[in-house]
Amino acid sequence: MKILISRFNHETNTFSPVPTPLEAFAPDYGEAAYRANLGMRTAMAAFIDLAHEQGATLVTAVLATANPSGLVHAQAYDELTARIVAAAAGCDGILLDLHGAMVAENSVDGEGDLLARLRAAVPGIPVGVALDLHGNITQKIIDNADVVVGFKTYPHVDMYETGLHAGRLLLNMLQGRQRYAVRWHPLPLMSHTLCSTTLHGAMLRAVQAAQAAELDGLPAVSIFAGFSLADIAAPCVCVVATAIDSPQGLAAAQAAMNRIADQIWAERGEFVYRSEPLADSLQRAIAMSVNASKPVLLLDHGDNCMSGGTCDSMDLLQAALAYGLEDIVVGPLCDSQAVTEMVRAGVGAKVSLALGNKVALTQLGIVKQPMQMAGTVRALSDGEYTVSGPIYTGQRCTMGRTVLLEIASAMIVVTERPHEPWDLGVFHCVGVDPSKHRFLLLKSRMYCRPVFVPLSQGLIECDSPGVTSSDYGLFPFSKLARPVFPLDPL
């Protein structure tokens, strides 16, 4: 038995000014892709472990992941998809770890087009796919996969388990035990990312309904929240089932999907996030900090690099300083120019520089001015660390050269590359213990929470004007299929 296994992940924010060339994916091929997955908690790592259990021959063609950003460059998309398709020849089965919300310069449906090319290249070969909960599912994905399973958690702590689920179903097909077909029920509902958490609310209840349907015998049922910061036809919520390919199996899957979709639609208002003014968020943070024994966590979800943010917006820090917040730890903030200046100055140097707000948000018509800062360079680092928390456990991360800048009221971790605060390593690499400070300002939505919420007094969500804002009014959608909730009264 010979199985093609690859990972090609990108969540595309079509409004993001951050480019996505081939280098952004830091791709590994062949043996290097295989070795990079050993000990990881990704879907691809699960595929590899299952294949080893079966004594299968592995073809690990591609491992390529990039932070969410703008359109994937055509050259990158062509290079990586061509390698995957070429490696499929002679394989008995295909297992892919994809995201589901990729848009390239030359493909509005990155995953769907890849799957269609595979189906044309090796017709009849079973294809199993593990997808992110925020995938934007299309008919082309449904038509060209035999197994589709999505994450059931956000924050995503079940990547490996999702891979096991999808992989075991594909092995059933390869061993002749079962045949599957994929079906879906799309909804005209754009979910705000912050309302797609599976920790509580309507999304949790939808996932629980999917799990109940699986317990009742359906092979796989997944709820996809979609990724709404993509100007495509339907960046929307849907229910997807991998069903036994028989009249009874397909009917059972359709009934379950209809039932869950009706439940989601009845609760559609709970998938809409209503931001409060930034001033109100800061006033709540100040009140929470009174007599607090732990830092108050402020999340700048308007500039979250794991949704395509520039990671250099200064709105929240500027407002926090204006409101008199003190003893703030901030990071990571991406400004390669400032890093170069501070590295040249050296540890202990007094510096005066322009920080942040250097990437114009052209599609939103927003141009900001850098913040003039004076402070002291306290530490320099290579910005590398290994994730110890529950998301991407064991992954080696690099933020590029990293500098700790101390100003009067804040310690700021400044990096060369945009970076999600997955882990305490973001701060430990420059000698900072964030638990010892009064306020902790992170550019994040959800991924930081498993690590940082337990260390905090409480959490305040702060919406700044950026390309990951929850204010749909900032985004000039032109390709959406209308009507769609909440942009239209449905």
Side-chain angles (χ1 to χ4, degrees):
M1 186 190 304
K2 187 177 182 181
I3 302 176
L4 168 61
I5 296 173
S6 288
R7 183 182 183 198
F8 184 22
N9 281 186
H10 190 256
E11 181 180 75
T12 306
N13 181 333
T14 64
F15 301 101
S16 173
V18 180
T20 318
L22 180 63
E23 296 75 35
F25 289 91
D28 284 319
Y29 309 117
E31 181 67 19
Y34 168 79
R35 290 196 308 269
N37 274 277
L38 296 178
M40 298 286 286
R41 298 294 296 176
T42 62
M44 183 171 177
F47 296 159
I48 290 172
D49 289 347
L50 284 172
H52 280 317
E53 288 176 9
Q54 298 298 315
T57 300
L58 279 68
V59 179
T60 49
V62 170
L63 167 61
T65 66
N67 279 351
S69 49
L71 295 176
V72 175
H73 288 188
Q75 183 263 340
Y77 183 77
D78 288 346
E79 168 75 15
L80 295 170
T81 55
R83 284 178 175 269
I84 294 171
V85 173
C91 290
D92 301 299
I94 300 169
L95 282 168
L96 299 178
D97 178 348
L98 305 176
H99 184 283
M102 182 186 296
V103 183
E105 292 172 335
N106 55 342
S107 172
V108 73
D109 182 3
E111 290 84 1
D113 286 343
L114 168 60
L115 292 170
R117 288 180 61 191
L118 280 168
R119 187 70 92 199
V122 286
I125 301 302
V127 178
V129 185
L131 294 173
D132 191 290
L133 176 145
H134 294 107
N136 288 326
I137 308 305
T138 64
Q139 190 64 52
K140 193 173 283 188
I141 292 174
I142 300 299
D143 289 344
N144 291 286
D146 301 283
V147 171
V148 171
V149 184
F151 302 159
K152 287 185 169 63
T153 62
Y154 181 50
H156 305 316
V157 295
D158 66 333
M159 300 177 189
Y160 186 87
E161 290 75 13
T162 301
L164 290 179
H165 192 166
R168 285 168 178 156
L169 293 179
L170 190 84
L171 287 172
N172 283 345
M173 294 188 70
L174 293 178
Q175 294 164 354
R177 292 197 294 263
Q178 194 56 266
R179 291 188 59 80
Y180 300 112
V182 183
R183 297 291 185 269
W184 72 320
H185 187 133
L187 290 158
L189 169 60
M190 291 170 62
S191 169
H192 280 104
T193 303
L194 280 167
C195 294
S196 63
T197 177
T198 57
L199 299 175
H200 54 75
M203 188 64 182
L204 171 60
R205 290 189 288 275
V207 168
Q208 288 172 334
Q211 291 169 325
E214 291 175 347
L215 289 174
D216 285 342
L218 290 182
V221 181
S222 303
I223 313 300
F224 291 97
F227 181 62
S228 59
L229 300 180
D231 192 15
I232 59 176
C236 294
V237 176
C238 69
V239 185
V240 173
T242 298
I244 294 172
D245 191 8
S246 69
Q248 297 84 359
L250 294 172
Q254 193 63 56
M257 288 191 296
N258 292 347
R259 183 173 62 253
I260 297 169
D262 287 346
Q263 172 186 317
I264 291 170
W265 189 248
E267 297 188 293
R268 61 191 178 279
E270 290 197 36
F271 288 88
V272 179
Y273 184 86
R274 292 171 175 82
S275 298
E276 65 180 351
L278 196 52
D280 292 353
S281 300
L282 289 169
Q283 291 288 3
R284 290 199 297 121
I286 292 169
M288 187 180 290
S289 72
V290 175
N291 298 321
S293 59
K294 300 177 181 179
V296 175
L297 183 57
L298 292 89
L299 298 190
D300 183 6
H301 62 88
D303 184 27
N304 171 218
C305 75
M306 286 308 290
S307 289
T310 59
C311 204
D312 86 326
S313 170
M314 303 298 287
D315 298 80
L316 179 53
L317 178 58
Q318 285 176 305
L321 295 174
Y323 271 83
L325 275 66
E326 297 182 337
D327 192 20
I328 311 168
V329 171
V330 184
L333 175 77
C334 180
D335 188 330
S336 60
Q337 181 182 353
V339 167
T340 296
E341 291 181 40
M342 290 187 284
V343 168
R344 185 181 301 122
V347 174
K350 305 289 185 182
V351 294
S352 180
L353 45 75
L355 188 63
N357 283 350
K358 294 176 181 174
V359 182
L361 310 181
T362 52
Q363 291 199 58
L364 305 189
I366 297 174
V367 178
K368 305 175 185 180
Q369 296 302 313
M371 189 173 176
Q372 296 299 318
M373 293 230 169
T376 304
V377 177
R378 290 300 183 197
L380 304 176
S381 166
D382 61 8
E384 294 188 1
Y385 68 93
T386 300
V387 177
S388 59
I391 300 175
Y392 293 125
T393 308
Q395 179 167 303
R396 189 69 178 165
C397 294
T398 178
M399 303 183 287
R401 293 181 301 172
T402 299
V403 180
L404 179 64
L405 173 65
E406 182 179 13
I407 63 172
S409 300
M411 305 283 281
I412 308 171
V413 177
V414 188
T415 66
E416 283 189 304
R417 302 177 187 175
H419 192 78
E420 173 76 22
W422 308 108
D423 194 81
L424 288 167
V426 166
F427 298 101
H428 288 173
C429 76
V430 286
V432 173
D433 181 352
S435 69
K436 303 300 184 185
H437 297 267
R438 191 176 182 194
F439 296 98
L440 178 56
L441 194 164
L442 302 179
K443 291 180 173 296
S444 184
R445 277 191 171 127
M446 285 287 164
Y447 284 121
C448 70
R449 298 190 191 206
V451 170
F452 289 96
V453 167
L455 304 178
S456 71
Q457 188 72 24
L459 182 154
I460 306 291
E461 294 168 347
C462 304
D463 195 0
S464 62
V467 293
T468 66
S469 171
S470 294
D471 180 4
Y472 285 149
L474 292 175
F475 300 92
F477 290 103
S478 63
K479 298 172 183 172
L480 283 175
R482 308 290 287 267
V484 63
F485 188 82
L487 302 187
D488 301 302
L490 294 175

